[in-house]
Amino acid sequence: MQNILEIKNLNIGFELQQGIAQAIYGVNLELEKGGSLGLVGESGCGKSVTAMSIMKLLPKNAVISQGQILFEGKNIISLSQKEMGQIRGRKIALIPQDPLTSLNPLYTIGDQILEAVKLHHKVSRKEAKNIAIEALKSVKIPEAEERFNNYPHEFSGGMRQRVIIAMALSCNPDLIIADEPTTALDVTVQAQILSLIKDIQKERGTSLLLITHDLGVVSEVCDRVAVMYAGRIVETADVKSIFKSPSHPYTQGLLDSLPATGKDKLNPIKGQPPAVTEEIKGCPFNPRCPHAMDICRHVEPENIELTQGHRVACHLHKKNLHKDPTNS
């Protein structure tokens, strides 16, 4: 199947007073048209930076030193802001993690959706209003015609997130990026929002990139998963393979950290991920890895294919290990 999104060998750093702090290292990702990909990892691993690079919304001190971000065959990195403005919102929509800060409290939710529709479609206000109300209905907001005139503070957290999703859907995008869309919600509402996103994605054939720290969330919504650590993709596979045969120790640690029936206690990953400014030698996970070997401390592992569609960056799975330079 054709890919709607391809990220190739992407490197992103940030200009600081002490120099460039590298945040993303040689990231490669693929998302099929109509497919769903979960990008998983702890806070600070580079998930949101990757998402913002796709939207071309990185801060001014960001530096893309190499790589391509291909959306429908076009390299987003080389597009002007004007060209990107025709794609952002219309072709690629973002569902942010905090609906409270994403909605303007001074305007009704109807006016805010209208603004998004009229920005990308040459329609009358009446037509735009009809599109907006249908979008609200599609996310199962009751009495959509009446709620259209309400302000954000008149909605619960879960309903505000539905409004944000409606806003994203109002322009019928080809790709939705959902950045931790359930973080600020309680468990019951989380389940409702995830079910809603999954149903909409399947019904409309929209492609979905879901950013999250929770593999359990990915299992509910996505077809494939990419595990990220310290700005690198350490494992990619279909969701079933990840849960059945997790191959990177970090992936195994994330799964062990999930709460489950019959578990006496949670098993968190010991230690902390490296800071962006920290110099890394060898495998970035080696200080926390229970299986670390001497080579892991000196040589960064290659990303190799275990089976079709299942790739991992770990020395444990390389048939012919690099010769350890410290022993030469």
Side-chain angles (χ1 to χ4, degrees):
M1 189 178 288
Q2 186 179 1
N3 290 326
I4 191 170
L5 178 70
E6 290 182 63
I7 298 178
K8 297 183 177 181
N9 201 29
L10 184 65
N11 278 23
I12 302 175
F14 293 94
E15 290 182 342
L16 305 177
Q17 285 186 340
Q18 59 268 43
I20 299 289
Q22 196 71 16
I24 302 296
Y25 295 81
V27 163
N28 291 284
L29 285 175
E30 293 181 353
L31 174 57
E32 289 184 349
K33 194 168 185 179
S36 52
L37 173 69
L39 185 57
V40 183
E42 292 167 286
S43 297
C45 73
K47 306 185 304 294
S48 291
V49 172
T50 303
M52 290 304 101
S53 69
I54 298 168
M55 298 292 291
K56 204 161 188 176
L57 291 174
L58 291 170
K60 289 183 179 180
N61 68 329
V63 178
I64 299 178
S65 56
Q66 68 178 38
Q68 293 181 308
I69 302 172
L70 301 176
F71 174 71
E72 294 183 337
K74 290 183 179 180
N75 186 6
I76 283 173
I77 295 171
S78 64
L79 297 181
S80 67
Q81 285 298 334
K82 183 179 179 180
E83 290 171 322
M84 191 62 203
Q86 297 174 345
I87 293 174
R88 192 188 300 125
R90 182 181 177 187
K91 289 275 193 175
I92 307 175
L94 175 68
I95 302 173
Q97 58 181 280
D98 189 354
L100 187 59
T101 58
S102 302
L103 292 168
N104 191 322
L106 302 179
Y107 293 90
T108 67
I109 59 101
D111 281 338
Q112 293 182 63
I113 300 176
L114 280 179
E115 184 180 4
V117 173
K118 294 183 76 174
L119 182 65
H120 296 291
H121 296 285
K122 294 180 180 178
V123 293
S124 66
R125 181 178 173 84
K126 183 178 180 181
E127 289 172 313
K129 183 176 180 179
N130 289 335
I131 292 171
I133 289 173
E134 285 304 312
L136 291 173
K137 287 179 179 178
S138 72
V139 297
K140 298 179 172 58
I141 290 182
E143 301 174 334
E145 290 87 350
E146 290 75 21
R147 302 307 303 268
F148 179 88
N149 297 309
N150 289 159
Y151 289 85
H153 73 269
E154 298 177 273
F155 290 79
S156 66
M159 282 296 169
R160 280 195 293 263
Q161 190 61 292
R162 288 173 187 264
V163 170
I164 291 292
I165 296 171
M167 197 176 295
L169 294 174
S170 62
C171 294
N172 200 25
D174 298 313
L175 169 63
I176 292 176
I177 300 174
D179 188 3
E180 301 274 11
T182 60
T183 296
L185 308 175
D186 64 52
V187 176
T188 304
V189 179
Q190 278 186 25
Q192 294 171 356
I193 295 298
L194 289 174
S195 178
L196 176 64
I197 291 173
K198 182 179 179 180
D199 290 345
I200 288 171
Q201 190 255 329
K202 295 298 182 185
E203 287 169 10
R204 298 191 176 209
T206 309
S207 305
L208 173 68
L209 176 61
L210 175 67
I211 312 292
T212 181
H213 61 275
D214 190 343
L215 272 168
V217 168
V218 170
S219 70
E220 294 290 328
V221 179
C222 298
D223 306 319
R224 291 186 58 79
V225 59
V227 180
M228 198 169 203
Y229 186 79
R232 299 153 173 86
I233 301 298
V234 297
E235 186 166 6
T236 51
D238 64 85
V239 169
K240 287 183 180 178
S241 296
I242 285 287
F243 278 82
K244 185 179 179 181
S245 306
S247 299
H248 196 283
Y250 180 59
T251 309
Q252 294 165 3
L254 289 177
L255 288 169
D256 287 342
S257 301
L258 291 175
T261 304
K263 263 190 180 181
D264 294 330
K265 61 178 182 178
L266 297 178
N267 299 307
I269 303 171
K270 294 180 181 179
Q272 297 293 328
V276 177
T277 53
E278 188 176 333
E279 185 179 352
I280 296 172
K281 292 183 178 180
C283 173
F285 189 60
N286 88 80
R288 307 172 72 188
C289 181
H291 309 291
M293 304 174 288
D294 199 32
I295 191 174
C296 304
R297 299 178 183 91
H298 305 286
V299 180
E300 185 168 351
E302 296 176 23
N303 200 305
I304 60 171
E305 190 168 50
L306 297 179
T307 57
Q308 188 173 6
H310 191 164
R311 302 187 68 88
V312 66
C314 180
H315 289 302
L316 291 172
H317 300 282
K318 191 163 178 61
K319 293 178 181 178
N320 299 308
L321 294 177
H322 290 289
K323 185 180 179 182
D324 192 332
T326 60
N327 295 331
S328 59

